[in-house]
Amino acid sequence: MSNTAVQAPVQEFKVFEESEDSRVYRHTTSHILAQAVKHLFPEAKLAIGPAVDNGFYYDFDLEHRFTDEDLAALEKEMKKITKQNIPLERFELPREEAIKFMEEKDEPYKVELIRDLPDDAVISFYKQGDFTDLCAGPHKGSTGAIKAIKLTSVAGAYWRGDVNNKMLQRIYGTSFPKQAMLDDYLNMIEEAKKRDHRKIGKEMDLFALYDEGPGFPFFMPRGMVIRNELEAFWRKAHVERGYQEIKTPLILNEDLWHRSGHWDHYQNNMYFTKIDDGDYAIKPMNCPGSMLVYKRKLYSYRDFPIRMGELGQVHRHELSGALHGLMRVRTFTQDDAHIFMLKEQIKDEIIGVIDFIDYVYKLFGFPYHVELSTRPEDSMGSEEDWELATNGLKEALEEKGIEYVINEGDGAFYGPKIDFHLEDCIGRTWQCGTIQLDFQMPQRFDLTYIGSDGEKHRPVMIHRVIFGSIERFIGILTEHFAGKFPLWLAPTQVKILTVTEQFNDYAAELEQKFREAGLRVETDGRNEKIGYKIREARNQRDPYILVVGEKEKEAGTITVRSSKEGELGEMTPDALIAKLTEEIETKAC
């Protein structure tokens, strides 16, 4: 597999977003927003205004509630400021002078920020014309560097993220060096709205989220078809690659999570309960269960590699404001696997997983790029083990000829990892697959095997997912295909529509024939106009719509319309069944 086989084409605006300059650029734009707000609403108090992924925001304390009309006026004022090409000038003040300076400007939030800085901190400000802000920088040289601006929304935000503090108003926006980049970005956002999996999921009756269980999705019968097909594909592909499937419990005692290291590194994201006066945790990850499965017997070096796969449901606490359809939930199913191996098998096993992930993403038509994440500050284990693990991942990537970016300090607490960021059809990226090499858990659980010398040795292990989360992957697929799933995944593969009710008997015969061929088929025999039925079937994104009337019944045929190929005309049922069977078997997308 060459790197060209997996590298996604990159749009110009995305190249900018991934550059180091983008955050400086957006941070400068946030200052221009703050200056515009102070021009139009002088009574506004300034909080903070950082650059974030895809844009920036600034928080304001203002009695007036910002409206869409205000955003338009602020955009106009910001463009006026950029045309003035005002220099941004940095200066520093001693701590007490800085406090006095902000007090004179009646900026209480800035005063609070300064008071929280160390006594010996360098306190810097940036001035642009009639506006000055507390800021560490860096910034662009002048407001004229900012060429294209869009304010996107207003939201509430507690000061310093603390619910006990005052609710401020947060204005979000983005900016680019070219108007064409901004246009491309906004077009992508608009297309994303049309493809929103929450909207499509409701229209197609795939899943639902209820107030009785925020962040805990319900799957409807049609959604379960997609889920079951994905899981069946997962199982078959894993059996073909030598994996054994296991299932571990949802709840295990607290001691296990101390042993695994999750208690020290992850407890704030966990749920807990009591059983028989003992403390238990609802699992946030599947790996400790796999450790116990491994420990049930003593292995020989001849048994390796041992590949265990699990579709394991996990629960993780997410803040309510972070929940988003199937993309961010509080319970999900990881397509997990844990591979136990000898040190000399590390590279080959990692290459095997890379090839597996490549196979799956290509099947769905996803290009992807790769990041290698190194040791975080909050980690466990020796420097020697981390270096060995990191080099093992590097060697595998380099042998496959895959370009990768180093993501310093973003590894798991127990080992470095390779992350796969797939790209959907409108250019958005999603981190799904991951390969984590772990020397720590085998030590913490005292995993051993009998080596060729008859002595006990310690295995190495890989943590690995491909979909990442079944729920999230379904959300991604829903948006990628805009609900028009490949035939093998479609909840209803064939929809039979009768011109009038007198052809319902013929439709019933056809339905039985398609069902016996293993196809998912439904008939709409209602006394409705055929145009209405066709529109409804299209809204349900059914891949094949069959119309039957007098002509079709007499000839023993069907008139076929494909959502991908358009009108296919008259066909015999057997010819269509053969076509659909081949499309399903090849999993064509």
Side-chain angles (χ1 to χ4, degrees):
M1 178 183 65
S2 68
N3 185 51
T4 56
V6 300
Q7 200 70 26
V10 182
Q11 295 163 283
E12 189 179 15
F13 79 87
K14 294 188 72 178
V15 173
F16 170 71
E17 284 185 344
E18 293 169 5
S19 70
E20 292 183 9
D21 187 51
S22 65
R23 288 195 171 262
V24 176
Y25 196 90
R26 268 75 178 268
H27 192 184
T28 301
T29 317
S30 77
H31 277 226
I32 294 171
L33 167 60
Q35 184 175 19
V37 168
K38 293 296 276 187
H39 284 179
L40 302 187
F41 303 94
E43 69 277 21
K45 307 303 178 193
L46 304 175
I48 58 171
V52 293
D53 290 346
N54 303 317
F56 62 89
Y57 69 78
Y58 210 112
D59 291 344
F60 303 95
D61 186 355
L62 180 66
E63 188 172 337
H64 170 80
R65 311 313 294 173
F66 289 120
T67 64
D68 289 343
E69 290 76 16
D70 293 331
L71 294 190
L74 287 168
E75 253 187 54
K76 185 177 179 181
E77 183 66 18
M78 291 174 73
K79 290 173 183 176
K80 180 180 173 183
I81 293 168
T82 61
K83 286 179 181 177
Q84 292 172 350
N85 197 25
I86 306 166
L88 274 81
E89 302 168 346
R90 186 179 191 274
F91 65 92
E92 298 175 4
L93 291 175
R95 189 169 185 274
E96 292 307 314
E97 285 186 36
I99 291 171
K100 183 179 179 182
F101 181 63
M102 284 288 103
E103 284 177 337
E104 289 173 351
K105 288 185 171 291
D106 193 18
E107 295 292 355
Y109 297 99
K110 301 295 183 181
V111 171
E112 182 178 328
L113 290 172
I114 296 170
R115 290 191 187 280
D116 287 346
L117 293 172
D119 291 342
D120 60 349
V122 174
I123 300 171
S124 60
F125 296 84
Y126 277 83
K127 182 179 185 298
Q128 55 197 60
D130 59 5
F131 175 77
T132 302
D133 202 354
L134 171 72
C135 187
H139 282 285
K140 304 300 288 183
S142 72
T143 61
I146 311 304
K147 303 299 183 184
I149 299 168
K150 180 65 179 177
L151 299 182
T152 54
S153 63
V154 181
Y158 291 106
W159 169 235
R160 292 188 152 182
D162 188 337
V163 295
N164 297 310
N165 289 338
K166 187 171 184 179
M167 175 73 79
L168 308 178
Q169 294 186 77
R170 176 171 294 177
I171 297 180
Y172 284 98
T174 192
S175 59
F176 290 91
K178 297 179 184 177
Q179 185 62 42
M181 289 186 188
L182 176 60
D183 292 342
D184 286 346
Y185 172 76
L186 295 176
N187 288 338
M188 186 190 77
I189 297 301
E190 192 59 37
E191 183 63 27
K193 288 179 183 176
K194 296 176 187 175
R195 293 169 176 266
D196 190 323
H197 73 286
R198 296 167 298 178
K199 173 178 174 287
I200 293 173
K202 185 175 182 180
E203 292 171 353
M204 295 182 67
D205 196 25
L206 303 180
F207 69 92
L209 289 153
Y210 298 108
D211 292 340
E212 290 81 355
F216 301 97
F218 287 64
F219 275 82
M220 303 301 126
R222 289 170 61 82
M224 282 303 297
V225 171
I226 299 170
R227 185 184 185 109
N228 288 338
E229 288 294 332
L230 280 174
E231 291 185 2
F233 162 73
W234 183 93
R235 287 190 167 95
K236 183 174 184 293
H238 280 73
V239 168
E240 292 170 350
R241 290 162 178 80
Y243 287 79
Q244 304 170 67
E245 186 174 0
I246 63 171
K247 192 74 173 175
T248 61
L250 283 175
I251 300 175
L252 294 163
N253 71 20
E254 187 180 297
D255 176 69
L256 177 75
W257 305 100
H258 283 282
R259 219 185 322 165
S260 68
H262 289 89
W263 185 267
D264 295 328
H265 300 272
Y266 210 76
Q267 64 171 300
N268 291 337
N269 295 92
M270 295 170 66
Y271 296 114
F272 301 93
T273 188
K274 277 190 174 288
I275 301 174
D276 297 333
D277 296 324
D279 294 320
Y280 285 74
I282 301 170
K283 68 175 179 179
M285 298 181 187
N286 298 303
C287 36
S290 292
M291 303 300 107
L292 299 183
V293 172
Y294 179 94
K295 281 180 72 71
R296 79 192 189 281
K297 67 180 190 179
L298 186 60
Y299 291 99
S300 160
Y301 71 96
R302 296 186 183 90
D303 297 319
F304 291 99
I306 298 164
R307 306 184 185 108
M308 296 181 187
E310 177 176 14
L311 291 170
Q313 186 179 7
V314 298
H315 290 72
R316 299 179 184 177
H317 179 62
E318 297 282 357
L319 297 175
S320 58
L323 300 176
H324 180 76
L326 297 180
M327 303 301 196
R328 184 66 72 90
V329 292
R330 287 172 170 158
T331 183
F332 56 93
T333 302
Q334 282 189 309
D335 64 317
D336 235 331
H338 296 98
I339 303 173
F340 302 91
M341 60 199 166
L342 310 175
K343 285 185 179 180
E344 55 266 31
Q345 295 172 328
I346 288 175
K347 185 171 71 173
D348 287 344
E349 285 303 303
I350 293 170
I351 287 173
V353 176
I354 290 172
D355 288 342
F356 195 177
I357 292 174
D358 180 69
Y359 160 72
V360 172
Y361 290 175
K362 280 182 177 174
L363 181 70
F364 293 102
F366 288 126
Y368 60 86
H369 68 269
V370 173
E371 287 183 350
L372 174 62
S373 298
T374 59
R375 185 174 190 171
E377 289 185 13
D378 181 23
S379 62
M380 59 188 189
S382 70
E383 194 64 44
E384 182 183 358
D385 282 346
W386 274 85
E387 185 176 354
L388 183 60
T390 303
N391 288 339
L393 296 178
K394 285 181 178 178
E395 288 172 12
L397 287 170
E398 288 163 4
E399 181 159 320
K400 294 300 296 180
I402 299 176
E403 292 181 10
Y404 60 91
V405 175
I406 297 288
N407 190 4
E408 294 287 357
D410 200 41
F413 66 84
Y414 46 75
K417 61 178 181 171
I418 299 171
D419 284 331
F420 294 77
H421 298 259
L422 58 82
E423 183 170 323
D424 66 17
C425 66
I426 62 172
R428 296 171 302 176
T429 56
W430 308 88
Q431 194 275 306
C432 291
T434 187
I435 305 171
Q436 302 170 354
L437 189 55
D438 185 1
F439 286 78
Q440 309 309 319
M441 283 207 186
Q443 293 179 25
R444 295 178 78 95
F445 282 86
D446 192 27
L447 303 189
T448 60
Y449 67 91
I450 302 299
S452 58
D453 58 0
E455 299 295 323
K456 285 187 176 181
H457 298 271
R458 185 100 49 217
V460 182
M461 69 176 293
I462 288 172
H463 307 248
R464 181 240 73 187
V465 295
I466 299 177
F467 296 144
S469 152
I470 295 289
E471 289 78 3
R472 183 167 173 266
F473 200 74
I474 289 173
I476 293 169
L477 290 177
T478 302
E479 298 195 359
H480 179 62
F481 293 115
K484 297 178 181 178
F485 293 98
L487 186 62
W488 68 281
L489 283 178
T492 300
Q493 295 168 322
V494 177
K495 179 67 72 67
I496 303 172
L497 311 179
T498 56
V499 174
T500 66
E501 288 179 297
Q502 72 185 87
F503 304 110
N504 283 0
D505 289 345
Y506 180 50
E509 293 174 17
L510 290 170
E511 181 175 329
Q512 183 63 24
K513 189 177 183 69
F514 282 107
R515 202 176 299 283
E516 288 174 356
L519 295 163
R520 295 187 288 275
V521 57
E522 294 177 0
T523 298
D524 186 349
R526 294 174 299 165
N527 185 25
E528 298 282 358
K529 291 182 179 179
I530 190 63
Y532 174 81
K533 291 182 181 182
I534 290 172
R535 285 194 301 275
E536 200 166 73
R538 285 177 178 172
N539 288 339
Q540 283 295 306
R541 286 101 167 158
D542 296 324
Y544 286 89
I545 300 171
L546 316 184
V547 176
V548 294
E550 184 71 38
K551 179 180 64 171
E552 289 83 10
K553 182 177 180 180
E554 288 183 1
T557 61
I558 44 182
T559 297
V560 183
R561 185 189 187 282
S562 163
S563 62
K564 289 196 299 184
E565 302 170 72
E567 301 294 340
L568 300 181
E570 277 192 73
M571 298 177 69
T572 65
D574 287 341
L576 182 60
I577 287 171
K579 172 180 170 60
L580 302 191
T581 301
E582 180 182 4
E583 189 174 334
I584 290 167
E585 288 177 351
T586 59
K587 291 186 166 50
C589 289

